[in-house]
Amino acid sequence: MDEQTRMLAGLTPLGALPQADVGESDPVRKQQQQQQQQPLGQPQQDIGDILQQIMAITDESLDEAQARCWPAEAPMRWAAPDDPALGGGAGGGTAGAALPLDFQHRKHALNCHRMKPALFSVLCEIKEKTVLSIRGVQEEDPPDPQIMRLDNMLLAEGVSGPEKGGGSAAAAAAAAAAGGSPNDGSIEHSDYRAKLAQIRQIYHSELEKYEQACSEFTNHVMNLLREQSRTRPISPKEIERMVAIIHRKFSSIQMQLKQSTCEAVMILRSRFLDARWAYLCVRLCARVHVLACIQLLTLPSVHRLRRKRRNFNKQATEVLNEYFYSHLSNPYPSEEAKEELAKKCGITVSQVSNWFGNKRIRYKKNIGKFQEEANLYAVKTAVDAANVSAQASQANSPATPNSGGYPAPCYTPDGRL
DNA sequence: TGGTATGATTGCGC
DNA sequence: GCGCAATCATACCA
């Protein structure tokens, strides 16, 4: 009601109009009405009439309307859903399907009022100028790059778009790369194609369901809004915005489906490409769409695939061991130290973390076994420290105490090193 | 070819 | 988010 009052107050020609009589129970309004009472011209009288009708409808709660329109003892008369004169039928939407005749008559009278289009237009305009109709709505945003990448990927794999042998080109390349000659890979090839066809079928079936649900829901909401636009200012533009919001929501659901499908294809591909799957994926994708695959390779779920293990090179292991044994009392490198070690070793920070995690636990489990290794690095570090010390003495600077020795491992009460 | 070493992953607790 | 502990998977070697 506050919004209505605000909107009406903003209407210059309507500003002088009496407030609609919404009932004797509201003394404040009644007083205002009495204060503002003045002779009305015909147009103002018309607007006053229609406002009264609108407010009488919109002010009533559902219970009040029900109590007034179909009291318990009165026999109920229902409008035929297809009675266009009473707001039923196709144009009436779901809300007009089965309402009491009294209510339908009032709605019909309101809809047929000659001033209704003009007032509707003015109210829509006011609403448009306020934030009421654009709450939570963002204007046309550009196509989501993530969806574009997924679409490109699915298209390249032959999952979406016209069927062209179920990604036979990719399958042939995969089989050839994994097994050598195309003949060698023929069984895997057909198997790959069959499984890809399954994925394709599931994808299209799910996509169809989403599209159908989206269409049904959109129609439902549009019908509701059209029906409501008979009694409150809802412009076609606002309905369009609502439809856009619905499509955006469904689009995000669709993206999840596409992501899952891409993951399924990648997992299938990984089985056929075996050891070289990641490398070949990138190579294959370079031909079709680099970005799509790079994006997919970074998807968390794809990461869950166990990566091919490669031992670190000797130099990297030495660097890591040196750090570990020279910080044996506290072998927990900081984030900066990890980054530095990763750079030195040519590995990632998470690999450094893994390495230290493994090293700590394995050292703790079998200190005796690692003692020899610890001694080895102790000597190496001691030599290095001596060299540094000698250089420092030459430069007449005080030698800095070095932690290079290998203190006995120190464990915290909770078992940490 | 089997045993061992080792990098990666997972589940849990903090 | 980090670390621990257990486990997995695979590289490496005798």
Side-chain angles (χ1 to χ4, degrees):
Chain A
M1 185 58 212
D2 287 346
E3 286 178 358
Q4 284 176 344
T5 314
R6 246 196 345 264
M7 285 197 299
L8 291 174
L11 268 174
T12 312
L14 301 176
L17 286 174
Q19 293 294 309
D21 184 5
V22 292
E24 297 298 313
S25 59
D26 189 340
V28 177
R29 265 201 214 132
K30 198 177 170 187
Q31 191 183 354
Q32 284 174 346
Q33 194 178 338
Q34 285 167 350
Q35 284 171 354
Q36 292 172 354
Q37 212 135 36
Q38 59 179 317
L40 297 172
Q42 183 58 36
Q44 286 181 337
Q45 184 68 53
D46 284 337
I47 295 172
D49 287 347
I50 195 167
L51 279 175
Q52 275 187 357
Q53 290 181 48
I54 291 171
M55 294 175 83
I57 287 178
T58 53
D59 267 4
E60 279 178 344
S61 70
L62 190 58
D63 289 341
E64 285 169 347
Q66 281 176 343
R68 195 175 50 72
C69 292
W70 55 90
E73 64 275 14
M76 281 198 284
R77 289 177 59 221
W78 299 94
D82 56 351
D83 183 355
L86 299 178
T94 50
L99 290 171
L101 281 175
D102 184 23
F103 188 76
Q104 295 282 8
H105 276 302
R106 289 175 58 196
K107 272 178 69 184
H108 181 60
L110 183 64
N111 287 332
C112 295
H113 198 287
R114 63 192 183 84
M115 292 300 291
K116 194 238 178 181
L119 184 60
F120 183 86
S121 158
V122 171
L123 289 172
C124 280
E125 197 178 324
I126 292 168
K127 199 176 170 189
E128 193 69 28
K129 283 177 185 167
T130 65
V131 293
L132 292 176
S133 61
I134 53 169
R135 249 185 325 219
V137 178
Q138 290 169 348
E139 291 302 331
E140 306 280 325
D141 40 15
D144 188 342
Q146 170 77 350
I147 288 191
M148 285 173 66
R149 280 194 282 269
L150 290 170
D151 280 339
N152 285 332
M153 173 70 192
L154 292 172
L155 198 64
E157 291 297 328
V159 176
S160 63
E163 193 160 14
K164 46 184 180 185
S168 58
S181 73
N183 288 339
D184 293 341
S186 59
I187 296 171
E188 289 187 351
H189 182 185
S190 62
D191 199 22
Y192 180 91
R193 284 183 62 174
K195 286 190 166 57
L196 198 64
Q198 275 181 4
I199 293 174
R200 182 187 164 90
Q201 192 184 349
I202 293 167
Y203 170 75
H204 282 286
S205 151
E206 292 298 313
L207 198 63
E208 204 174 322
K209 280 184 203 164
Y210 281 136
E211 279 167 1
Q212 195 181 345
C214 179
S215 167
E216 279 174 11
F217 188 71
T218 306
N219 285 338
H220 181 69
V221 170
M222 279 172 74
N223 282 337
L224 277 177
L225 290 176
R226 280 187 194 132
E227 174 61 23
Q228 287 186 8
S229 71
R230 291 163 183 268
T231 49
R232 68 186 184 96
I234 303 175
S235 64
K237 201 174 172 185
E238 198 177 336
I239 295 178
E240 274 176 33
R241 284 196 191 118
M242 190 55 76
V243 169
I245 290 171
I246 294 168
H247 283 176
R248 211 170 296 144
K249 292 285 176 197
F250 272 89
S251 164
S252 70
I253 297 171
Q254 213 176 62
M255 188 163 83
Q256 286 172 18
L257 169 69
K258 287 177 179 176
Q259 269 183 353
S260 303
T261 310
C262 279
E263 285 177 37
V265 172
M266 295 302 283
I267 289 165
L268 176 65
R269 188 181 273 282
S270 74
R271 286 187 193 151
F272 281 83
L273 299 181
D274 195 16
R276 290 184 287 171
W277 76 273
Y279 167 70
L280 287 166
C281 256
V282 172
R283 263 191 58 192
L284 280 165
C285 293
R287 263 182 274 160
V288 289
H289 198 282
V290 177
L291 281 177
C293 285
I294 296 299
Q295 181 71 27
L296 279 163
L297 287 169
T298 59
L299 285 173
S301 51
V302 174
H303 265 306
R304 280 201 290 274
L305 290 169
R306 193 170 279 275
R307 267 179 264 161
K308 194 75 178 167
R309 192 173 71 75
R310 288 258 183 278
N311 286 356
F312 299 155
N313 63 39
K314 205 173 173 183
Q315 191 202 343
T317 311
E318 276 197 8
V319 169
L320 293 167
N321 272 319
E322 269 179 33
Y323 187 97
F324 180 81
Y325 288 112
S326 63
H327 296 79
L328 204 51
S329 59
N330 183 34
Y332 298 89
S334 64
E335 201 55 37
E336 292 77 25
K338 281 182 191 172
E339 280 172 18
E340 179 133 2
L341 286 168
K343 205 182 288 180
K344 274 186 189 172
C345 302
I347 57 178
T348 66
V349 173
S350 62
Q351 282 178 307
V352 173
S353 298
N354 282 339
W355 189 92
F356 273 88
N358 286 324
K359 191 71 181 182
R360 277 192 299 265
I361 191 125
R362 283 162 189 165
Y363 180 85
K364 199 171 88 172
K365 272 185 180 173
N366 199 344
I367 295 176
K369 189 184 121 190
F370 285 95
Q371 199 55 56
E372 197 180 333
E373 190 178 57
N375 292 336
L376 212 72
Y377 281 97
V379 172
K380 191 172 184 301
T381 310
V383 170
D384 290 346
N387 287 340
V388 170
S389 180
Q391 282 173 5
S393 316
Q394 280 178 358
N396 262 346
S397 63
T400 51
N402 194 310
S403 65
Y406 291 92
C410 170
Y411 291 97
T412 58
D414 62 350
R416 290 191 175 197
L417 267 172

